[in-house]
Amino acid sequence: MEPSQAPDIFRTSLFNPQEFTITFELVPGRGSGGKRLEGILSFAEEAKKDGRIKALSITDNPGGHPALAPTSLGIEIQSMGLEPLIHFSLKDKNRNMAESQLFECHRHGLLNLLVLGGDYPRHGFHGQAMPVFDLDSPQLLRLIDRLRQTPPLGGNVPGCVMPLPSMDFLAGCVVSPFKTMQSEQIFQYAKLLTKVCSGAHFVISQLGFDMAKYQELLFFCRQHTITLPLLASVFIPSMKVAEIMCQGQVPGILFPESLMRLMQEEATSPDKGEEARLLRGARMVAALKHMGYAGVHLGGNNLTFSKIAFLLDQAESIAATANMEEIRHQVNFPTPSTWYMFPESGQQRDTPHKPSALFRINQQIHDSAFLPTGLIFPLAKKISLKVDHNKQARRLYTFCEHLIKTLFFHCRMCGDCTLAESSYLCPQSGCPKRMINGPCGGSLHGFCEVYPQERLCFWVRVYHNNPAGHLGSLSHCPPLPPKDWSLQGSSSWINYFAGRDHNKLLSDPQ
Ligand code: SF4
């Protein structure tokens, strides 16, 4: 739903169907000043004079490395009369820090947010930083949605009963249509539905180079009546960055070898292929506008504003004069053996398998013990509630649960079991980011961002366990709430029957 108040350049453009919204991504580096930052600020000054870019987005510790906080640069950019779009990632902050930073953003009038999980934290001071991921993106969108309303936030914290003034954030989310496997792609779209139902106001795609996949995302949104503004990412890489992406070293980025070969040929020209890269970007912008996107999110490295102005000029003239089918063909770089959801956008491959035998056994045991209609439900409930009142019995019961679930599910005793929501695989031990509402965007060819070529993405395994079930019920709304850390180490079976786990929270939204 469109946010209610305070029209500004970005939101006005975004919700005006006659306008094609252009944003550009800035990437501050490590440190509080220096040439890189000066370059960013001079880009912003020129963008302000030009007026075609409606918001400058600012990344939040991209690649999992420490960098200047986006709010700091956002305040400077805002003082120049431009709209900042603050990337708000969850890899480095727990829920309280997230809420605190939302207050900070609101205090400074930084109301445009792009909510994302973020890349897995990498090296920092004395080694690799701790991955936090206390919330995932749908859960943060829910929190932002709560802050947009006036009721008190609830929870056992001082001041929780006091209504907060409404905070009119404009919150976007991201989605990747550029997954090569059905098992990867299905959950990306499922999570998009979850993000939309959690309160996202606009959507930005992952960067890619397969035009049929850009088209597929539009088809999917239309099929699921997602009417939010949808921006397509258009990335103009330097040769060096293209090589890094092509080697699969950037999480979630699929860089086609056919494009890499073309760029290597272009690099033999006197300008080292720069104009060709900008023209390709211009053709992509024109093709995506023609396809029906509400705008584009531009990005790239070593780009001055004059280069972007050249790209935008070219895109306008291409859109006015060229044969768009031909243009689309020129910028289409599909990856062989990719799965496509719709026959219109490409070829459909991969066929769903049947649920695994293990899945069916687990489901039968689960349903009989934990569904009110289950055979042993009354007995399981009675025993669980009884031992809950006796310390010694509770300890023994918890120990037995720990033994069984560690043996069969690599359980981490979080105390709030979501095995049934992920095909009886444990996200606490199976996913390095502990994603419970669907995958992050970092997988590549089905492999986990954190263990490339080594471990399949947890959600790919979830899909393989029960493919038919996930194809049939894509929508996952509302999202599972975040873990209550006070339950860590306790019995999830008792917590379920005593109404302390997420099943209670789902029916009692805070
Ligand atoms: S298992 Fe999947 S969802 Fe989890 S971190 Fe790896 S790629 Fe992301």
Side-chain angles (χ1 to χ4, degrees):
M1 189 187 297
E2 186 179 344
S4 51
Q5 40 162 288
D8 56 39
I9 307 166
F10 179 51
R11 337 188 154 196
T12 308
S13 171
L14 207 52
F15 292 99
N16 179 355
Q18 310 307 321
E19 270 200 58
F20 188 68
T21 304
I22 298 164
T23 58
F24 185 84
E25 185 165 299
L26 302 173
V27 185
R30 203 168 182 179
S32 62
K35 274 196 174 160
R36 185 175 184 148
L37 202 59
E38 283 164 22
I40 285 176
L41 292 173
S42 88
F43 185 105
E45 258 169 37
E46 289 180 65
K48 164 74 182 151
K49 279 185 215 142
D50 179 88
R52 281 178 286 185
I53 292 180
K54 302 301 181 209
L56 288 173
S57 86
I58 308 165
T59 56
D60 182 9
N61 293 354
H65 300 288
L68 179 67
T71 44
S72 160
L73 189 53
I75 292 167
E76 279 188 70
I77 283 175
Q78 186 163 250
S79 71
M80 295 163 80
L82 273 156
E83 287 289 329
L85 170 58
I86 305 291
H87 291 215
F88 202 104
S89 75
L90 292 153
K91 58 190 178 298
D92 309 314
K93 33 180 115 66
N94 70 10
R95 68 195 73 183
N96 289 357
M97 191 62 188
E99 195 174 314
S100 167
Q101 288 192 355
L102 287 171
F103 296 154
E104 182 192 10
C105 286
H106 190 256
R107 175 86 189 154
H108 292 294
L110 303 171
L111 301 181
N112 307 322
L113 306 176
L114 185 62
V115 170
L116 60 172
D119 299 328
Y120 198 76
R122 298 289 169 191
H123 289 280
F125 176 65
H126 279 296
Q128 183 166 316
M130 181 187 174
V132 181
F133 300 103
D134 187 29
L135 300 181
D136 62 19
S137 45
Q139 292 159 351
L140 181 65
L141 285 163
R142 292 271 285 185
L143 171 60
I144 291 171
D145 200 49
R146 292 289 293 172
L147 291 172
R148 286 174 49 80
Q149 299 162 19
T150 43
L153 273 170
N156 298 323
V157 288
C160 67
V161 292
M162 296 293 290
L164 297 172
S166 167
M167 298 184 190
D168 190 26
F169 288 115
L170 178 80
C173 68
V174 291
V175 63
S176 176
F178 301 106
K179 299 297 177 190
T180 51
M181 296 165 66
Q182 178 175 7
S183 44
E184 271 180 299
Q185 192 63 72
I186 289 292
F187 275 125
Q188 288 296 321
Y189 288 143
K191 195 162 180 182
L192 173 63
L193 293 176
T194 309
K195 289 171 184 175
V196 171
C197 112
S198 302
H201 300 121
F202 65 96
V203 183
I204 297 184
S205 81
Q206 176 60 283
L207 68 94
F209 303 93
D210 181 341
M211 298 312 273
K213 278 289 193 178
Y214 279 112
Q215 181 81 68
E216 176 182 286
L217 177 57
L218 280 176
F219 282 152
F220 179 84
C221 289
R222 280 184 203 136
Q223 189 186 57
H224 291 268
T225 54
I226 296 174
T227 54
L228 304 181
L230 183 54
L231 308 192
S233 278
V234 173
F235 191 78
I236 302 101
S238 66
M239 269 303 284
K240 198 172 169 206
V241 166
E243 277 163 12
I244 292 170
M245 286 179 163
C246 197
Q247 287 160 7
Q249 290 183 32
V250 181
I253 305 296
L254 189 65
F255 198 94
E257 285 180 10
S258 54
L259 176 56
M260 192 67 247
R261 284 194 294 274
L262 179 65
M263 285 180 70
Q264 281 161 347
E265 277 171 35
E266 291 167 353
T268 57
S269 67
D271 73 346
K272 298 193 168 52
E274 184 171 277
E275 187 170 314
R277 290 196 290 274
L278 293 171
L279 281 174
R280 190 163 36 253
R283 291 188 191 109
M284 282 182 77
V285 171
L288 292 162
K289 184 177 182 183
H290 183 254
M291 210 182 265
Y293 275 87
V296 283
H297 181 66
L298 300 172
N301 57 316
N302 300 336
L303 292 171
T304 57
F305 185 76
S306 61
K307 292 177 189 172
I308 290 298
F310 169 77
L311 184 155
L312 293 176
D313 293 343
Q314 293 298 316
E316 283 162 24
S317 100
I318 292 166
T321 56
N323 174 340
M324 293 316 294
E325 272 314 304
E326 202 182 305
I327 293 294
R328 178 176 161 159
H329 183 70
Q330 287 172 9
V331 293
N332 188 29
F333 297 92
T335 299
S337 306
T338 293
W339 177 80
Y340 296 90
M341 184 170 243
F342 302 102
E344 296 94 320
S345 57
Q347 262 195 322
Q348 228 166 340
R349 294 167 199 248
D350 279 17
T351 42
H353 319 276
K354 288 190 185 134
S356 72
L358 200 58
F359 170 82
R360 280 177 288 161
I361 294 168
N362 281 324
Q363 190 167 44
Q364 276 185 5
I365 296 170
H366 172 271
D367 290 357
S368 101
F370 297 108
L371 291 189
T373 49
L375 202 63
I376 59 166
F377 177 87
L379 182 66
K381 184 174 181 179
K382 195 172 169 190
I383 295 172
S384 301
L385 293 181
K386 193 152 189 190
V387 300
D388 194 23
H389 298 294
N390 181 308
K391 199 172 166 188
Q392 295 305 326
R394 192 172 62 234
R395 272 195 187 159
L396 184 63
Y397 183 100
T398 307
F399 177 73
C400 293
E401 179 183 335
H402 191 180
L403 267 187
I404 294 167
K405 285 171 67 180
T406 303
L407 194 62
F408 291 104
F409 304 104
H410 305 287
C411 170
R412 294 282 161 87
M413 290 302 280
C414 68
D416 184 4
C417 191
T418 55
L419 277 173
E421 282 85 357
S422 47
S423 297
Y424 302 99
L425 295 172
C426 174
Q428 304 300 319
S429 57
C431 171
K433 297 182 184 175
R434 301 189 307 275
M435 297 273 127
I436 60 172
N437 282 302
C440 71
S443 68
L444 192 62
H445 301 302
F447 285 97
C448 172
E449 161 190 337
V450 186
Y451 302 100
Q453 302 299 324
E454 205 180 304
R455 263 198 223 172
L456 282 178
C457 167
F458 171 79
W459 287 93
V460 166
R461 290 169 49 225
V462 168
Y463 182 81
H464 287 165
N465 254 7
N466 181 24
H470 298 302
L471 263 180
S473 57
L474 264 181
S475 181
H476 188 43
C477 184
L480 290 169
K483 292 284 169 199
D484 178 350
W485 282 90
S486 70
L487 300 178
Q488 181 66 32
S490 63
S491 161
S492 69
W493 294 344
I494 296 177
N495 292 333
Y496 169 74
F497 288 115
R500 291 192 287 258
D501 74 354
H502 66 275
N503 291 291
K504 154 100 178 352
L505 294 171
L506 277 173
S507 58
D508 175 23
Q510 286 194 23

